[in-house]
Amino acid sequence: MDEMLIVDYGSQYTQLLARRIREIGVYSRVETPMSATLSENVKGVILSGGPQSVYDSQALKLPQNLVDSGVPILGICYGMQLIVHEFGGVVKKGETFEYGLTRVNFFDDAFFKTSSSNVWMSHGDSIERLPDAFMKIAESEMGVIAGMRSKDGKVYGLQFHPEVSQTVGGMRILEYFVLNLCKAKPQWKMEDYANSKIEEMKRKIGNSKVIAAVSGGVDSTVATVLTAKAVGKNLKCIFVNHGLLRKEDEEVPKVLSKLGIEVKVVDASKLFFENLEGITDPEKKRKVIGETFIRVFEEEAKKINADFLLQGTIYSDVIESAAASSTSAKIKSHHNVGGLPKEMNLKLVEPLRELFKDEVRVLGSTLGIPKSVLNRHPFPGPGLAIRVMGEVKYDRVKILKNVDEIYTSLLKESGEYDKIWQAFSVLLDTRSVGVKGDQRAYGYVVALRAVDSAEGMTASWHKMPYDLLRRISSTITDKISSVGRVVYDVSDKPPATIEWE
Ligand code: XMP
């Protein structure tokens, strides 16, 4: 199969670049400059951006074998500056910063297909003089060289990032480079990703045992089904029921069983409720749940004697951590979403690490996982505990479970569920006066939340149709006598977070 080699100089966007090449239908391989090797399948090379300056004493270099091979090369940002530096041009150190959306004029119709566009810039160093063998093909409104190509048409450079969605026409540029200049054939499909990961896991894991904590979320389900294809019965799945699940989560072991995966259900709800007794502070709730989960999981892990731990980490979980690449700058530490202990002496298996959420859904569908699982809304690890305001009591969790079932089923029935990124209900620790059957009522208040979002980092409240809201509200108050009032949350994130606690 034809492939594109991406040389990673530590850009935050390297995996996004790899994903864009996959979108074009071409297999892409990400390597560090030290490990970059060519094969006859490699039809072209893309040098990523990166946090360094070509003048840094430890600056990562352009591998000579790539230049000698004669395959087309595209350098992006640092990648372009590296080409300029190595081919005899001059890079100017940090005088003209361009960051964010910038207007750029283009002088190569075939490559850009337009005379100007808004593009995403993120650079401190810039090009002062091109090498003799190169010509300028793009310039920013500030007069900075934004694109170049060698006169023989083999090597290209862009100072901006075509892979980010803010760059208008960025995909067109990448497509032209990959399909027309490199002549790579679009032969890659998600099935190939699945097969290569399965083979990779077979080699890595051999006959050892793998333990997985399954939650029924999209990522952990897809990771589990994929890994089961690699190691079969050596995958041992544990589902810890902390009693803070929605009704639909309790069905998870059955759903997985239908997919051929047996799950050991550990009912630890009594322990969780005991440990949560008297706690109202949201952070403390999270801490207690995390610690209790670890204790229960460790106990089960000991019985299984596993060598590997499966985690459904996806690329957005690691994108800003130093772990995103061996060459990238540390922006912030990644917080462990699974909440599992570090000192368990288990080696990690993370087969979805390079994929974005929507790609995970496509992979899941190629593995035969039903849409009803793949399109589920996210659900937080601490579960309903952070949706019951105040102390977590069994009877209040039960009310919320019933409210949630009504809310979710009406959203699904009306077709609204798939238009929403995440929807849930919250049981407040306030009561309010009402009138039911000519009698004074003093019931609980429930808040409904629904948000539109891309990755949960920012979110807007969902413009729910009024008729549907009315139906949801009246069904809840009709069917659940202890609830007297329903409110709809119209807060964006920021300033609010998606969850209430
Ligand atoms: P916030 O409330 O921070 O939520 O705006 C953003 C997204 O993350 C989910 N979330 C969590 N997921 N463990 C998780 O696995 C957690 O502790 C946790 N807290 C929030 C939340 O549901 C939303 O999708």
Side-chain angles (χ1 to χ4, degrees):
M1 193 190 313
D2 287 354
E3 65 181 62
M4 295 294 298
L5 173 63
I6 297 175
V7 184
D8 179 19
Y9 287 94
S11 167
Q12 299 300 309
Y13 303 129
T14 300
Q15 289 298 338
L16 185 58
L17 194 53
R19 182 234 158 96
R20 296 292 182 230
I21 308 301
R22 292 197 289 269
E23 275 179 57
I24 297 169
V26 176
Y27 175 68
S28 62
R29 179 157 57 89
V30 177
E31 300 277 357
T32 65
M34 290 70 79
S35 67
T37 48
L38 284 167
S39 70
E40 63 183 48
N41 294 347
V42 174
K43 300 297 170 199
V45 174
I46 302 182
L47 313 174
S48 83
Q52 290 188 313
S53 161
V54 293
Y55 296 113
D56 288 352
S57 58
Q58 304 287 314
L60 294 163
K61 299 276 184 265
L62 178 59
Q64 192 57 40
N65 61 326
L66 302 187
V67 180
D68 295 343
S69 71
V71 298
I73 297 178
L74 170 64
I76 294 173
C77 204
Y78 178 80
M80 174 183 181
Q81 293 164 10
L82 202 54
I83 295 169
V84 169
H85 191 61
E86 304 262 336
F87 280 72
V90 179
V91 175
K92 192 165 54 175
K93 213 166 161 26
E95 281 174 24
T96 323
F97 289 86
E98 285 178 308
Y99 187 79
L101 268 191
T102 309
R103 191 85 196 157
V104 164
N105 294 315
F106 298 131
F107 319 117
D108 184 328
D109 285 348
F111 197 65
F112 297 112
K113 314 237 171 13
T114 179
S115 58
S116 73
S117 185
N118 285 334
V119 302
W120 189 257
M121 290 278 194
S122 173
H123 68 102
D125 290 3
S126 53
I127 312 299
E128 183 163 275
R129 185 170 57 75
L130 290 177
D132 291 342
F134 283 74
M135 55 199 280
K136 179 169 72 179
I137 56 169
E139 187 180 77
S140 79
E141 281 192 330
M142 281 175 76
V144 174
I145 297 175
M148 64 173 191
R149 80 171 169 90
S150 61
K151 288 171 187 163
D152 65 5
K154 286 273 186 204
V155 182
Y156 281 72
L158 295 173
Q159 187 55 79
F160 59 90
H161 290 273
E163 68 276 24
V164 306
S165 56
Q166 289 91 335
T167 293
V168 179
M171 266 310 266
R172 228 174 28 220
I173 297 172
L174 290 174
E175 260 170 26
Y176 184 75
F177 180 70
V178 173
L179 301 178
N180 295 67
L181 294 177
C182 301
K183 301 198 175 356
K185 289 190 219 65
Q187 300 156 314
W188 183 88
K189 298 183 297 302
M190 193 51 97
E191 284 89 338
D192 299 321
Y193 182 91
N195 290 333
S196 75
K197 276 292 157 193
I198 291 168
E199 288 310 313
E200 190 187 310
M201 282 194 280
K202 277 186 183 164
R203 280 195 303 275
K204 182 174 171 180
I205 299 165
N207 289 323
S208 303
K209 282 187 187 152
V210 185
I211 188 170
V214 297
S215 65
V218 177
D219 306 337
S220 83
T221 306
V222 175
T224 301
V225 174
L226 189 65
T227 309
K229 290 203 185 292
V231 304
K233 296 279 175 224
N234 277 342
L235 176 66
K236 307 286 173 193
C237 298
I238 293 171
F239 178 82
V240 177
N241 184 351
H242 50 28
L244 303 158
L245 300 170
R246 297 162 301 177
K247 290 193 176 169
E248 60 177 282
D249 304 308
E250 288 161 1
E251 299 299 311
V252 165
K254 271 192 227 150
V255 174
L256 286 171
S257 165
K258 277 194 198 138
L259 293 165
I261 292 163
E262 287 318 313
V263 177
K264 177 172 181 189
V265 180
V266 181
D267 186 354
S269 46
K270 195 163 165 280
L271 180 66
F272 276 88
F273 277 99
E274 272 167 21
N275 290 356
L276 283 166
E277 216 174 291
I279 297 174
T280 52
D281 176 67
E283 279 310 300
K284 209 148 178 224
K285 280 185 194 174
R286 284 171 177 272
K287 213 161 160 263
V288 166
I289 291 167
E291 279 168 9
T292 312
F293 189 89
I294 288 169
R295 233 178 322 125
V296 173
F297 187 78
E298 262 179 334
E299 199 134 300
E300 292 303 319
K302 256 191 250 151
K303 295 179 198 163
I304 286 169
N305 204 11
D307 294 309
F308 290 89
L309 170 68
L310 174 65
Q311 290 219 294
T313 318
I314 66 169
Y315 193 62
S316 53
D317 297 332
V318 289
I319 200 159
E320 284 184 328
S321 75
S325 136
S326 56
T327 46
S328 65
K330 185 165 180 143
I331 306 293
K332 71 173 184 194
S333 293
H334 170 56
H335 85 119
N336 183 355
V337 286
L340 294 173
K342 289 191 187 83
E343 63 285 355
M344 283 185 75
N345 262 341
L346 290 167
K347 286 169 260 175
L348 278 187
V349 183
E350 296 178 311
L352 310 181
R353 219 180 143 79
E354 293 119 63
L355 298 185
F356 291 77
K357 192 86 173 184
D358 53 342
E359 292 183 300
V360 173
R361 290 196 163 110
V362 175
L363 172 61
S365 132
T366 70
L367 294 170
I369 301 173
K371 270 207 166 60
S372 54
V373 176
L374 295 175
N375 293 341
R376 291 182 76 194
H377 292 175
F379 185 62
L384 299 182
I386 54 168
R387 293 177 180 173
V388 167
M389 304 295 99
E391 190 179 352
V392 184
K393 292 263 199 203
Y394 180 79
D395 57 339
R396 299 183 69 225
V397 171
K398 195 170 160 208
I399 293 171
L400 188 59
K401 276 187 190 188
N402 291 333
V403 170
D404 203 82
E405 192 186 25
I406 294 171
Y407 185 27
T408 308
S409 62
L410 288 176
L411 287 179
K412 285 186 177 162
E413 198 184 291
S414 63
E416 200 68 14
Y417 185 89
D418 289 334
K419 298 180 195 159
I420 297 169
W421 193 77
Q422 189 174 13
F424 57 90
S425 36
V426 179
L427 185 69
L428 308 196
D429 48 358
T430 324
R431 284 179 182 234
S432 119
V433 175
V435 49
K436 277 190 178 176
D438 292 335
Q439 295 284 336
R440 180 185 192 270
Y442 192 50
Y444 286 115
V445 182
V446 158
L448 304 177
R449 182 108 166 104
V451 294
D452 305 322
S453 179
E455 285 291 349
M457 304 295 287
T458 57
S460 327
W461 60 275
H462 182 72
K463 317 265 176 315
M464 189 85 75
Y466 285 169
D467 288 349
L468 178 59
L469 264 183
R470 168 164 290 136
R471 191 141 58 89
I472 293 165
S473 163
S474 55
T475 311
I476 291 171
T477 46
D478 285 353
K479 291 201 170 165
I480 304 171
S481 56
S482 52
V483 174
R485 194 175 291 263
V486 177
V487 297
Y488 188 59
D489 182 349
V490 288
S491 323
D492 290 339
K493 173 184 180 177
T497 54
I498 295 177
E499 300 289 344
W500 274 44
E501 287 193 336

